Amino acid sequence: MSFVVPAIPQATVKVEGTTDLFPVHRIYCVGRNYAEHAREMGHDPDREPPFFFCKPADAVVANDSQIPYPLATDNLHHEIEQVVAIGKAGVNIPAAQALDYVYGYAVGIDLTRRDLQGVAKKMARPWDSGKAFDNAAPCSAIRPASEIGHPDSGRVWLAVNGDVRQEGDLNQLIWSVPEIIEYCSGLWELQPGDLIMTGTPAGVGAIERGDRITGGVEGIGEIKVQVG
Ligand code: MN
């Protein structure tokens, strides 16, 4: 047997401090999971259950990469996020057992073509063009939970050319990581290799060509990318 077109290599994320790789299966993202960000996007954070959208596995970009400014947008936004790396399969996982399914954590950027997302919202269309494009998921190396535990507080920040634009704390998540896993695994069977981006704090904004983006989540790590 052979492939009839070239087979794209498995998308991976490094494991910090090792030569090991985490094979990326799917990327789930939680929308509006910090109250201040929900408000800045014009929503009431108190009355909305968590919702999810996806990015393709091969949208992951390694830490310290230079990525091209994306196609078809004039308003590329940064969203710094804690990323959960799932280590084993499960469906309908209760929150109380959810952390057993976590391999580790990373720092990601949910890059967003905000103009295309805006059109999609206005016309009640899917968000894929705004969220699921090439290179849309820069992700730091993963830190295993066996080393760092399960951080549920700690500063979340992002800077553009050294100016801090986003700041929040993991303890401000509307839906906690165990609750996210419970909801997500009720919609899809989670698999080893899945990544979950847990939402972004307030302060999202535009990235210009040539900008240096740095960010981090206290207790997990840091990420940097340059765009354009
Ligand atoms: Mn996001």
Side-chain angles (χ1 to χ4, degrees):
M1 276 208 309
S2 57
F3 294 117
V4 296
V5 296
I8 303 297
Q10 168 72 52
T12 60
V13 178
K14 288 180 179 174
V15 176
E16 183 68 40
T18 74
T19 55
D20 296 338
L21 298 172
F22 181 89
V24 182
H25 174 248
R26 291 182 184 166
I27 305 174
Y28 298 103
C29 306
V30 184
R32 294 173 209 140
N33 202 22
Y34 287 78
E36 284 305 313
H37 173 62
R39 287 188 198 101
E40 79 179 346
M41 300 306 288
H43 295 271
D44 178 349
D46 299 323
R47 290 183 295 141
E48 295 177 358
F51 69 94
F52 298 88
F53 56 89
C54 292
K55 292 175 184 270
D58 67 356
V60 289
V61 174
N63 187 23
D64 213 1
S65 295
Q66 176 148 2
I67 61 176
Y69 192 87
L71 298 172
T73 184
D74 292 313
N75 195 17
L76 178 69
H77 270 210
H78 52 74
E79 298 189 356
I80 188 76
E81 312 207 357
Q82 173 202 38
V83 179
V84 181
I86 298 295
K88 61 180 186 178
V91 67
N92 287 324
I93 301 165
Q97 271 104 63
L99 295 181
D100 296 343
Y101 292 78
V102 175
Y103 170 76
Y105 297 90
V107 181
I109 305 174
D110 168 13
L111 288 175
T112 302
R113 295 192 288 207
R114 194 70 77 196
D115 41 2
L116 300 189
Q117 186 198 26
V119 170
K121 284 180 179 174
K122 191 172 167 187
M123 302 187 76
R125 289 175 178 169
W127 285 10
D128 301 53
S129 62
K131 289 289 194 179
F133 53 95
D134 296 338
N135 303 310
C139 188
S140 75
I142 293 169
R143 303 281 308 280
S146 59
E147 293 175 10
I148 63 167
H150 298 278
D152 57 6
S153 68
R155 181 174 177 245
V156 181
W157 62 276
L158 179 139
V160 178
N161 301 322
D163 296 331
V164 174
R165 300 280 176 84
Q166 288 192 263
E167 274 210 277
D169 194 291
L170 291 178
N171 65 18
Q172 297 165 340
L173 284 174
I174 295 172
W175 301 98
S176 68
V177 168
E179 290 168 332
I180 290 166
I181 291 172
E182 181 175 288
Y183 271 93
C184 194
S185 69
L187 292 164
W188 299 277
E189 181 174 2
L190 292 181
Q191 298 292 345
D194 288 340
L195 297 175
I196 305 176
M197 303 188 75
T198 60
T200 199
V204 300
I207 297 169
E208 306 297 338
R209 287 170 179 76
D211 280 349
R212 283 182 302 106
I213 311 299
T214 52
V217 179
E218 188 182 355
I220 298 177
E222 297 192 355
I223 188 168
K224 62 175 174 178
V225 293
Q226 185 153 14
V227 179

